[in-house]
Amino acid sequence: MGQREPLLSILQSYKRTMKLPGVKIIEPLVIPDPRGVIVKPYVYTDLPVDFKQAYYAYTSKGDRRGMCYCKADKLVYCTKGKVLDIILDISTGEYMTQELSEDNHLAIFIPAGYAHGYQCLEDSCFNYLQSRVWNPDEEKKVGLDSFGFTWKEL
């Protein structure tokens, strides 16, 4: 996969640089205790971004969302269930996938301009942080079946 670079050692979090320029997989600090777990998918020192909006989507198993792109950087992660996340470089047609789940706690930083989508492998809650407030006039879409990716039959 990508090269792993440590963040501040007190955070015990890591970023992995991926094959698409600027895309980073974040292995967050996970703090288990007898009551459950605390996960910190984003600490302000992780990325050079000022997030302006946070939102989440509940989506059913098998459903797909995306492939949207806009002028916003995004940080995405799954807090319930499991998704197959897809990031597409619209200039080259190259894409990458990463499973995100409540169990692996991974997050993905996606720079502005990449198309992004996901398929729910289980009923899921998917979370977004964005560097710009969503504006429907700025959002563009790529057809779900237009770039050579084979979606899972669930």
Side-chain angles (χ1 to χ4, degrees), residues 11-148:
L11 300 177
Q12 298 177 5
S13 182
Y14 294 89
K15 292 185 299 187
R16 283 187 273 154
T17 303
M18 304 310 292
K19 71 178 183 177
L20 298 178
V23 173
K24 306 239 183 253
I25 303 292
I26 299 186
E27 298 177 42
L29 175 62
V30 178
I31 307 165
D33 68 23
R35 300 163 291 178
V37 66
I38 294 172
V39 180
K40 296 184 178 185
Y42 172 71
V43 177
Y44 74 94
T45 59
D46 286 357
L47 303 165
V49 168
D50 183 17
F51 290 114
K52 303 288 187 201
Q53 180 174 331
Y55 58 100
Y56 54 90
Y58 289 109
T59 308
S60 299
K61 178 181 178 177
D63 287 343
R64 301 177 291 177
R65 290 191 185 261
M67 298 290 295
C68 305
Y69 63 99
C70 62
K71 297 177 182 177
D73 297 323
K74 296 178 186 175
L75 182 76
V76 298
Y77 55 97
C78 182
T79 53
K80 182 71 178 161
K82 183 179 355 178
V83 305
L84 181 63
D85 197 86
I86 301 100
I87 302 160
L88 169 67
D89 184 334
I90 58 174
S91 66
T92 66
E94 187 175 13
Y95 62 85
M96 62 168 278
T97 64
Q98 174 66 53
E99 191 173 284
L100 302 176
S101 73
E102 65 184 290
D103 296 322
N104 71 17
H105 308 294
L106 297 177
I108 303 177
F109 175 73
I110 306 164
Y114 284 104
H116 171 255
Y118 60 93
Q119 181 178 31
C120 291
L121 305 177
E122 301 175 355
D123 291 350
S124 298
C125 181
F126 196 76
N127 301 262
Y128 305 77
L129 295 175
Q130 283 196 180
S131 62
R132 293 171 61 108
V133 175
W134 182 74
N135 179 343
D137 295 331
E138 293 179 353
E139 185 173 87
K140 309 286 187 235
K141 289 191 174 191
V142 173
L144 288 168
D145 297 316
S146 68
F147 60 99

